[in-house]
Amino acid sequence: MSRRRNNVWAITMSAALAALGGCTQAAALPPAEPVTGCSVADGDTLRCGDERVRLLAIDAPEKPGQCREGRTCAPGDPFASERNLREAVTPIMTIRRVGTDRFGRTLALVEARGRDLSCHQLESKAAIYNPRWDNGGFVGAMCPEAAARQTVSR
């Protein structure tokens, strides 16, 4: 292999490893389960029965008065973001639980009509991507262009 080709290969591999957070293997997706009876709480949160579900890796604009002092909140129209998510939600969806956040909400990948809702919100520019919140790197891997375009710049 030529020196130039070696350098290109090394740079490409370094970028790929950095994108994976230094991992050489992508994390396995959590098991999928059906979920029903979900309603939209805001542009990044669902309520499915008693369970509050936070869509993984995204931050939607906050409703008036909801952005805590000192916090930089996502830009945009919170009502349009909520409406966009509401239009995507279906009576039966698929959930992949990834963990819980500090507020006790389930962090999850949720699919409706075969499309991930975090990606839907990013692609619609109804939310921004926060790679620090992307446990497992799933959202960045599923919709890399939208995640790159809508990445938080805080």
Side-chain angles (χ1 to χ4, degrees), residues 30 35 38-63 66-68 71-75 81 85 89 93-111 116-119 121-122 126-135 138-139 142 152 154:
V35 64
C38 296
S39 61
V40 174
D42 60 27
D44 54 28
T45 307
L46 303 172
R47 179 165 290 283
C48 303
D50 291 336
E51 184 178 24
R52 290 181 306 148
V53 179
R54 182 67 149 72
L55 298 178
L56 191 64
I58 66 168
D59 192 17
E62 299 292 342
K63 292 178 184 170
Q66 297 298 308
C67 188
R68 292 186 319 270
R71 179 175 180 236
T72 303
C73 291
S81 178
L85 183 55
V89 167
M93 298 185 291
T94 301
I95 187 168
R96 294 176 186 272
R97 292 173 179 85
V98 175
T100 56
D101 69 7
R102 62 186 177 155
F103 301 109
R105 296 175 295 192
T106 298
L107 298 172
L109 300 166
V110 180
E111 282 183 23
D116 179 78
L117 295 180
S118 292
C119 291
Q121 289 294 84
L122 292 172
I128 56 175
Y129 175 69
N130 190 328
R132 292 179 307 158
W133 298 349
D134 195 357
N135 305 15
F138 300 120
V139 174
M142 287 188 295
V152 65
R154 297 182 201 159

